[in-house]
Amino acid sequence: MGRLLRKKDPSKKQKKSQSEDGASRDGNTSAVKGSSPPAIKKPYTPVSKSTVAKEKNIFDKSIQFLREVKVELKKVTWPSKKQTIGSTAVVLVIVAIISLFLGIVDFGLSGLIRAVLQ
């Protein structure tokens, strides 16, 4: 979920565009006129423990979750008042019909069981 808020790294676009310009992988750019020089790679330096991000605690995770919920709720298409009232009326009518049907079936089966047991 955290991926929703991250922005793309602009340096990735530059590396991709340089490789598409036709520069060879060995750094020889003489084949293409007017192309920019290849990017100079920095030597690898191991990451020290002090620069590694600390693990998020439960409070930070809760705040992040609530931010993501807010983003998702903005995407929801909420029904109008008229649609909500209409849907509620349909649900109430269906519940009344089903409860009436189940009551009649229960009454009939309980009478049938009494007749068989006597």
Side-chain angles (χ1 to χ4, degrees), residues 25 31 54 59 65-66 70 74 81 87 91 109 113:
R25 294 181 187 259
K54 294 181 181 179
F59 184 72
F65 174 76
L66 292 175
K70 184 179 176 182
K74 288 181 180 180
K81 185 176 180 180
S87 298
V91 168
L109 289 175
I113 296 296

Side-chain angles (χ1 to χ4, degrees), residues 30-97:
S30 61
V32 179
K33 293 184 180 179
S35 65
S36 61
I40 299 172
K41 292 185 178 180
K42 294 181 181 178
Y44 173 75
T45 55
V47 179
S48 65
K49 291 183 180 181
S50 63
T51 59
V52 176
K54 294 181 181 179
E55 187 177 325
K56 293 183 177 180
N57 60 16
I58 190 75
F59 184 72
D60 292 336
K61 289 180 182 178
S62 300
I63 296 295
Q64 181 64 28
F65 174 76
L66 292 175
R67 286 181 183 145
E68 292 172 4
V69 167
K70 184 179 176 182
V71 169
E72 291 299 320
L73 285 176
K74 288 181 180 180
K75 297 178 185 177
V76 174
T77 304
W78 296 101
S80 66
K81 185 176 180 180
K82 186 177 180 179
Q83 290 173 332
T84 305
I85 292 171
S87 298
T88 303
V90 168
V91 168
L92 291 175
V93 168
I94 290 175
V95 166
I97 291 171

